[in-house]
Amino acid sequence: MVLHTSKDLKTSACTASGRPHPVVVMLLFLPEIVREKFYGCGAPLPLGIEGRSVLDLGSGSGRDCYAAAALVGPTGSVVGIDMTAEQLSVARAHAEQYCKSLGYDRCNLNFVEGYIERLEEAGIQANTFDLVISNCVVNLSPDKPRVLREVYRVLKPGGEFYFSDVYCDRRLPKNVQEHEVLWGECIAGALYTNDFIRYARAAGFGDPRILSSAPIEVHDPELKAILGEAKFFSITYRLFKLPEGMLETLCEDYGQASAQAVRYKGTIKGMEHSYMLDDHHLFEKGKLSLVCGNTAAMLENGVSWLAPHFEILGDRSVHYGEFPCKLNFYKLSNFQSDLLC
Ligand SMILES: C[S@@+](CC[C@H](N)C(=O)[O-])C[C@H]1O[C@@H](n2cnc3c(N)ncnc32)[C@H](O)[C@@H]1O
């Protein structure tokens, strides 16, 4: 089946999940065709990325690239890569005009043809991007571990893969994996979340963090019957490329009472009052939060792209055992603790 616009879809997979942040919504004064051909399942648009370089995997008609171009500003740059010529031509057609409308002297948007498993062949060098984003694309790749390895390669040290995709609560049987309609709906290629975590760690991304998650609804009765009890989710993951060995398997305690603690400076535009690192870390401006070694590393000076926005107290000189994050794990809806993992 050929999709002409997102209205042709039979599930909510390619249009699901979190709405873009309000700042991003304001930026989306885009040509209708770019918006109509958007097939994303989330809002992988990090804030605080002024001046940064961003790569969008499977950029499609370019909606997220356009939004990112506005977020990085005239000193930043955005590259979208996609294998489909038709999508690329839609994305390219409006880029110059859009950059002019942002008041830029030079267009900071570039779209290249290529495969996300073979970024090098598309001319994308190692250690070149601060952020890699992607929206509902990795599920379509026949070689997901290779995509993760490629992303790790092209990210700068301290950079991040911040992306939304479709996941499943189990490994899908062959008849589902090979179902043409379910493939086009971004369902058939959905990874079992535990397999994804294994692949991410193997590629070098220790401690994958979930930022947001939303269930995907399958409305079509025939497709529902094929899928049985399998449950699907649109998840936005955050994977940091930090120095080897720095992200540990478990949450470790380096003296959270007096040493490793984090204070958000409130310096990210659009998130002046608090910063949400993931689904269990909301840092209020100015307030000290006690964290494990991994979380501190994701925000630390000389280690992470987020460092300018955080103050870290303490270091790793003394280890006090495992950080008791499970005892103190509060979802944001009933967030009550200063002790975080
Ligand atoms: C569901 S659409 C999402 C497009 C876009 N990210 C958006 O949010 O609108 C998937 C896109 O990924 C591209 N794609 C799928 N597999 C790819 C691969 N292996 N390499 C490059 N692009 C790929 C397709 O051409 C298509 O444009």
Side-chain angles (χ1 to χ4, degrees):
M1 189 188 68
V2 178
L3 298 172
H4 297 291
T5 73
S6 41
K7 290 176 194 129
D8 298 331
L9 295 165
K10 289 179 193 300
T11 71
S12 66
C14 289
T15 50
S17 186
R19 296 195 182 137
H21 190 276
V23 167
V24 174
V25 172
M26 279 161 40
L27 297 169
L28 290 177
F29 297 111
L30 299 178
E32 205 175 319
I33 183 83
V34 170
R35 276 187 279 119
E36 269 194 353
K37 287 188 176 286
F38 169 68
Y39 295 112
C41 54
L45 292 161
L47 299 182
I49 59 173
E50 294 87 356
R52 300 287 180 176
S53 52
V54 177
L55 172 68
D56 183 8
L57 302 184
S59 44
S61 65
R63 196 202 76 161
D64 290 341
C65 289
Y66 279 60
L71 291 171
V72 298
T75 58
S77 61
V78 179
V79 175
I81 181 167
D82 203 287
M83 66 178 191
T84 308
E86 189 205 337
Q87 292 282 70
L88 284 165
S89 68
V90 173
R92 283 173 178 144
H94 310 277
E96 283 285 341
Q97 188 52 41
Y98 179 71
C99 289
K100 275 197 191 122
S101 75
L102 294 175
Y104 298 172
D105 295 335
R106 168 194 70 89
C107 187
N108 66 351
L109 264 170
N110 187 22
F111 293 96
V112 298
E113 189 164 349
Y115 291 94
I116 60 174
E117 300 82 2
R118 303 206 287 269
L119 298 177
E120 195 159 20
E121 279 176 21
I124 298 174
Q125 306 297 318
N127 305 316
T128 45
F129 289 94
D130 294 302
L131 289 131
V132 176
I133 62 172
S134 185
N135 205 340
C136 219
V137 177
V138 180
N139 72 84
L140 295 167
S141 171
D143 191 348
K144 297 164 178 73
R146 183 166 174 174
V147 173
L148 289 163
R149 289 196 298 275
E150 273 293 84
V151 173
Y152 191 87
R153 187 182 66 79
V154 304
L155 276 172
K156 288 180 190 169
E160 183 186 350
F161 188 21
Y162 184 115
F163 75 113
S164 308
D165 207 352
V166 179
Y167 296 87
C168 190
D169 68 345
R170 62 198 68 198
R171 294 179 183 136
L172 292 166
K174 259 214 154 9
N175 67 314
V176 171
Q177 287 182 36
E178 289 168 358
H179 195 284
E180 206 184 329
V181 174
L182 287 170
W183 185 265
E185 296 280 337
C186 297
I187 291 283
L191 270 182
Y192 169 43
T193 42
N194 286 346
D195 284 341
F196 166 72
I197 288 165
R198 204 160 40 84
Y199 295 152
R201 286 186 190 277
F205 295 110
D207 202 357
R209 295 286 174 94
I210 290 178
L211 178 62
S212 59
S213 171
I216 285 170
E217 290 164 37
V218 178
H219 313 291
D220 187 289
E222 266 178 54
L223 297 181
K224 266 179 140 166
I226 295 166
L227 293 169
E229 291 301 317
K231 307 265 182 308
F232 296 87
F233 303 89
S234 166
I235 301 178
T236 299
Y237 271 104
R238 304 190 69 166
L239 310 183
F240 288 85
K241 177 177 173 177
L242 302 187
E244 214 183 321
M246 197 150 192
L247 292 178
E248 303 179 81
T249 315
L250 298 173
C251 295
E252 300 294 344
D253 180 352
Y254 292 96
Q256 74 275 12
S258 57
Q260 291 248 271
V262 164
R263 192 172 2 230
Y264 174 49
K265 297 178 186 172
T267 43
I268 293 181
K269 199 172 157 208
M271 290 181 156
E272 287 82 2
H273 300 293
S274 59
Y275 184 80
M276 195 163 164
L277 176 69
D278 57 30
D279 63 358
H280 56 293
H281 289 95
L282 180 76
F283 298 111
E284 283 199 53
K285 181 188 169 185
K287 185 177 176 189
L288 263 189
S289 300
L290 310 168
V291 296
C292 72
N294 282 0
T295 299
M298 290 171 196
L299 308 169
E300 201 165 319
N301 200 13
V303 176
S304 165
W305 75 274
L306 281 167
H309 305 290
F310 287 87
E311 186 187 346
I312 307 282
L313 305 184
D315 56 37
R316 291 180 171 229
S317 51
V318 182
H319 180 225
Y320 296 90
E322 189 175 336
F323 190 87
C325 65
K326 285 182 190 71
L327 292 174
N328 299 282
F329 186 95
Y330 288 90
K331 283 271 174 198
L332 289 175
S333 51
N334 59 345
F335 198 81
Q336 297 167 25
S337 174
D338 284 344
L339 188 61
L340 299 168
C341 63

